[in-house]
Amino acid sequence: MTNTDHTSIAEPAPPREIPDAAIAMVDAEGTVMGWTQAAEQLVGYSAGEVVGRSATHVLPPPEDAGRASVFAEQCRAQGGWSGTVAVRHRDGHTLTMTLRVSLLWGQDAGTRWLVSVTDIGALSSGATNGPVRESLLARAPIGIVVYDPRLRCAWVNDAMERHDGVPRHRRFGRRLTALLPGFEAEALEVVMRQVLESGNTMVHEYRAWPPADQRREHAFSASFFCLQGADGTPLGVCSMTVDVTGNRRARERLAILSEAGTRIGSTLDVMQTGQELADLAVPLLADHAIVDLVESVSFGLEPSARIGTTSGRTPPLRRAGLATIDPDVPTLPFVREEVIHPHPSSSFAAALRTGRSHLEPVLDTQAGPWVDHDPVRAQKVRDSGIHSLMVVPIRARRSVLGLALFGRSEEQTPFQEDDLLLAEELVTRAALSLDNALQYARERTAALTLQRDLLPHHVRGGAAVEVASRYVPADMDHGVGGDWFDLIELSGARVALVVGDVVGHGINAAATMGRLRTAVRTLADLDLPPDELLAHLDDTVRRLNDEDASVSDEVPAVAGATCLYAVYDPVTRRCTMARAGHPPPLIIDAQGQVTIPDLPAGAPLGLGLGLVPFESAELELPEGSLLALYSDGLVESRDNDIDVGLHRLGAALAQPGSSLEDLCSRAIETLPTQEPADDVTLLLARTRALQPAQVASWDLPNELATVPTARHLVARQLSEWGLEPLVTPVELIVSELVTNAIRHCDGPSRLRLIQHRVLTCEVSDTNTSHPRPRHPHTLDEHGRGLFLVAQLSRRWGSRFATDGKVVWAEHNLPSTAVA
């Protein structure tokens, strides 16, 4: 049905009962004349407690009552007011509200005020927004009519005439059906009667053609509120009508925000995230979009400056993303990865400093600091036809990560505030993804730094072995895990080979691994046999677990760690090894024959099984033997038994003549997948042997007359080796070590010189007590021998032997003698 005088109404929508804005009606003196159930639910006051009293009882709080009169005058002068205020709840706490005060006209030029409030907290918590609530937030025009209990118009605001074309003076005392005949007016009155009877707020949506724009269909949403008197009886119905035609497109665009969750941040690449933001904005929001990131952010580093800091210098930007509706834009100033230097006086620099968005509905490309600073770029902008611009800072944790710029050229409608709200929401989604990427980069850098510090930087076997290694973490994102390997140079040209595995992977397992690796190195300095070292390591692990249990109820940090420790002596070509729950090593001879030594398994570390001793095994390894130490991730899989993995690994390593690096690569390539379920570690060592000519040894009787003989023997051997420059210091070292052995033991001693990367002097005796440096007084005749040894040697120490101990000292070889 059509009314030629005013409006056409069609296609009604069924009424819905919704909780929307809270409404109160106030007279010209500020006295509350009507109250709603929604208002009672919001602030806790019933109609009986508020109606008939001053509005200052609720708003503003009592301490601000002096400002109430000023506020009232401001409303009268401006015909209303909107903004954010604090409202006092009945229980005393304060609510932050979006408030709108609208001027209503009555018959005979009387006036009243309609106060609409919406809880900002409810908005931020994700409550469903009704059309009135959206309009209150956006300060959009709302048509307001107050009907009496007989549904006759009593009060109306000026905006209502723009919705239906009915002048104010024609409304008073008349029902809606008399003004707009038709079934839709009757449907609206049905809803109003339901509101009067129930007191609940209801909304009714419909489409119509208003007189101001009869060429285009408009969508309207009418919300109805029951106004109650002091005794709770209905005084009338308040109708608030919103033209939601423009919001329809906004709702469609806001629906894309859900798509932004999947399209923005698909990777942890900050530059890719910038491009995804630009691609989503065009053509949804803008004709052109560019995303510039602070240059440090483009490299995965967080910006140093915070919002509001006055560094005085605008950071350079790097163009991360660009999109346009025109695929052929050679004249536009859009070059990806170009470095941008915003002019200090431009809106771009201001957004970077303050973190606030800038809306320029009509872009001025003819004047301004940035135009003068970069006339070439300004001319390209003019040629592109961009006439409206939004600059939105990309913010995260009080820092500006960059800027997003949106421009219109084909779309003639300038950007409005609602466009800016949508742009800010899109940018916020992108900022979260960028911040996640930066945090990932920071954590990954920290994890990789930790891993590099924990694992050996350079694995060198000295004169004992040739080595190569591989490490493949299961946590490929962070590159860290709980496996570790190590090679520790011991005295007498020997070397210790270590492989361990902490249950789990990631940065926590890596940190735990670092603690165990440090413990192994500390115990290796004591030069303990492998079985004794693992026993001490087991004690260390259990102490760490006890410490963790004492401060938290969590699972111990070290649970079920395994370790294999082996010591190889290139002089005797013998290898002693022990393991704590770790897979056994593989030994491949020079002909490619693979064997697995009979090595007791031992219990994993930290399980409290210390009463079960670890056992060592000793075997002879011919020169050129290949010793393979690995973690279970290399040989175990969900689909196959460990024997299958051991066979696969042995076949990969049984390649005589291949380099260790090639063998490592071949072994890793046998993994079933490129992303293993567990960390993978492989340490290969090909044994070397010292020639008999590199070792000299002598048995010495237990008498002081032996000391000059020992010096003579050493001097003669060094001369044969061409090491004459070392004769004097080495003679002194040997003299002190042999003298101590004679003084502190009853049996014979043995002197040995080993020439390898350094010159090692060893004196062994039958006394199990280890030497300790003393602090002699000025007049003491003894106690300075070990201090002299420490001054003359590269390093010195002692270790247990089968029938006593060995005291040793190392001296650097002359550069011409180093092999």
Side-chain angles (χ1 to χ4, degrees), residues 328-344:
D328 185 18
V329 286
T331 61
L332 287 179
F334 298 165
V335 180
R336 197 163 187 259
E337 298 199 14
E338 175 187 3
V339 177
I340 311 297
H341 298 275
H343 190 273

Side-chain angles (χ1 to χ4, degrees), residues 19-44:
D20 209 343
I23 305 297
M25 192 171 181
V26 181
D27 67 10
E29 285 72 34
T31 301
V32 177
M33 304 302 295
W35 196 246
T36 61
Q37 289 185 2
E40 180 178 352
Q41 294 173 2
L42 190 62
V43 298

Side-chain angles (χ1 to χ4, degrees), residues 259-277:
E259 185 180 352
T262 57
R263 289 181 57 181
I264 298 179
S266 61
T267 69
L268 291 171
D269 184 336
V270 294
M271 298 293 282
Q272 179 63 28
T273 300
Q275 183 60 50
E276 289 169 349
L277 170 60

Side-chain angles (χ1 to χ4, degrees), residues 271-581:
M271 298 293 282
Q272 179 63 28
T273 300
Q275 183 60 50
E276 289 169 349
L277 170 60
D279 290 337
L280 184 64
V282 176
L284 167 67
L285 176 63
D287 297 331
H288 313 283
I290 58 178
V291 178
D292 295 338
L293 299 179
V294 174
E295 193 167 24
S296 61
V297 173
S298 67
F299 296 121
L301 303 175
E302 294 188 6
S304 56
R306 297 288 183 179
I307 294 175
T309 57
T310 56
S311 60
R313 183 177 181 181
T314 304
L317 306 174
R318 185 175 293 272
R319 189 138 293 169
L322 62 95
T324 176
I325 59 172
D326 188 353
D328 185 18
V329 286
T331 61
L332 287 179
F334 298 165
V335 180
R336 197 163 187 259
E337 298 199 14
E338 175 187 3
V339 177
I340 311 297
H341 298 275
H343 190 273
S345 301
S346 66
S347 57
F348 314 123
L352 286 172
R353 288 192 304 269
T354 64
R356 292 193 292 270
S357 301
H358 172 74
L359 171 63
E360 197 163 348
V362 180
L363 178 63
D364 185 2
T365 58
Q366 302 298 325
W370 75 276
V371 174
D372 299 334
H373 175 72
D374 196 349
V376 175
R377 193 179 302 274
Q379 183 59 47
K380 290 183 178 181
V381 173
R382 285 192 289 268
D383 294 341
S384 71
I386 296 177
H387 60 82
S388 189
L389 179 70
M390 293 188 296
V391 181
V392 181
I394 306 172
R395 301 177 299 179
R397 292 184 292 114
R398 293 189 54 77
S399 293
V400 176
L401 307 181
L403 298 175
L405 284 69
F406 306 96
R408 278 182 176 171
S409 57
E410 297 297 326
E411 172 64 47
Q412 296 303 311
T413 304
F415 285 123
Q416 304 296 329
E417 289 290 341
D418 62 329
D419 296 311
L420 184 60
L421 289 174
L422 176 58
E424 289 177 335
E425 182 64 25
L426 286 176
V427 171
T428 297
R429 302 291 178 92
L432 291 175
S433 298
L434 288 170
D435 190 47
N436 287 338
L438 289 177
Q439 292 189 57
Y440 162 79
R442 182 178 66 251
E443 292 175 1
R444 185 172 188 274
T445 299
L448 292 176
T449 301
L450 173 65
Q451 190 77 43
R452 284 194 297 267
D453 290 343
L454 294 179
L455 292 178
H457 295 183
H458 303 287
V459 181
R460 295 178 296 184
V465 292
E466 175 193 359
V467 292
S469 62
R470 288 292 187 275
Y471 172 73
V472 181
D475 187 355
M476 298 298 290
D477 288 338
H478 292 92
V480 294
D483 286 8
W484 89 92
F485 64 92
D486 211 345
L487 189 144
I488 307 169
E489 295 186 57
L490 304 176
S491 62
R494 298 169 306 131
V495 66
L497 303 168
V498 189
V499 169
D501 183 2
V502 175
V503 173
H505 43 263
I507 193 168
N508 292 331
T512 301
M513 171 268 287
R515 300 166 78 181
L516 294 189
R517 178 173 180 257
T518 301
V520 170
R521 279 191 159 262
T522 302
L523 294 170
D525 287 341
L526 301 177
D527 226 327
L528 300 173
D531 55 341
E532 293 185 27
L533 183 140
L534 291 181
H536 285 285
L537 183 62
D538 184 56
D539 291 338
T540 300
V541 169
R542 284 188 285 121
R543 282 197 300 271
L544 292 174
N545 287 342
D546 291 341
E547 292 174 3
D548 293 338
S550 65
V551 297
S552 71
D553 296 329
E554 297 180 359
V555 177
V558 187
T562 64
C563 183
L564 171 62
Y565 185 83
V567 176
Y568 173 70
D569 188 341
V571 177
T572 64
R573 298 188 301 278
R574 300 195 69 80
C575 182
T576 307
M577 58 184 70
R579 59 185 178 126

Side-chain angles (χ1 to χ4, degrees), residues 38-51:
E40 180 178 352
Q41 294 173 2
L42 190 62
V43 298
Y45 290 96
S46 66
E49 295 173 298
V50 176
V51 175

